[in-house]
């Protein structure tokens, strides 16, 4: 099951969560190692919590098209009666 993470009005799918301590060597963040994991997992973003780095993909908000006054034909008889009125 995929886990979601909500941050700054965005929704992310967590690909992998790895403890922060795995990326520090002598109190210094190993950015090369962190970016290597990002590439390996195919992550778009890395988010950090107090305990973990979250390698994530963002879920894009869908584009919506407004439907205005359209008739949905569910029955062939409805369609025939509309054609006769024209």
């Amino acid at each position: 099951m995929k886990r979601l993470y909500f941050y700054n009005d965005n929704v992310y799918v967590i690909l992998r969560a790895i403890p922060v301590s795995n990326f520090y060597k002598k109190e210094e963040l190993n950015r090369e190692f962190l970016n290597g994991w990002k590439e390996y997992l195919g992550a778009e973003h890395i988010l950090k919590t107090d305990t973990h780095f979250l390698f994530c993909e963002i879920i894009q908000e869908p584009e919506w098209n407004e439907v205005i006054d359209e008739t949905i034909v569910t029955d062939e008889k409805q369609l025939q009666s509309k054609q006769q009125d024209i």
Side-chain angles (χ1 to χ4, degrees):
M1 179 184 293
K2 296 187 179 202
R3 295 182 301 155
L4 301 179
Y5 188 79
F6 298 85
Y7 180 72
N8 282 347
D9 295 329
N10 291 316
V11 182
Y12 299 88
V13 175
I14 300 173
L15 303 175
R16 184 95 177 247
I18 301 176
V20 171
S21 60
N22 290 8
F23 296 96
Y24 280 91
K25 187 175 185 179
K26 296 182 181 180
E27 303 294 324
E28 189 172 321
L29 177 62
N30 185 339
R31 292 185 184 277
E32 193 174 315
F33 190 50
L34 188 66
N35 287 324
W37 269 99
K38 181 182 175 188
E39 277 186 43
Y40 174 72
L41 295 170
E44 296 172 344
H45 300 281
I46 303 171
L47 303 174
K48 184 180 180 228
T49 67
D50 291 338
T51 59
H52 288 79
F53 281 108
L54 307 177
F55 296 86
C56 307
E57 291 179 346
I58 193 166
I59 298 176
Q60 299 294 332
E61 186 173 331
E63 292 184 23
W64 299 98
N65 294 326
E66 186 175 348
V67 177
I68 301 172
D69 195 31
E70 288 191 21
T71 304
I72 298 175
V73 177
T74 58
D75 187 357
E76 193 173 314
K77 290 178 185 177
Q78 285 180 323
L79 181 60
Q80 289 173 355
S81 65
K82 294 264 184 195
Q83 288 176 348
Q84 291 173 359
D85 292 340
I86 297 178

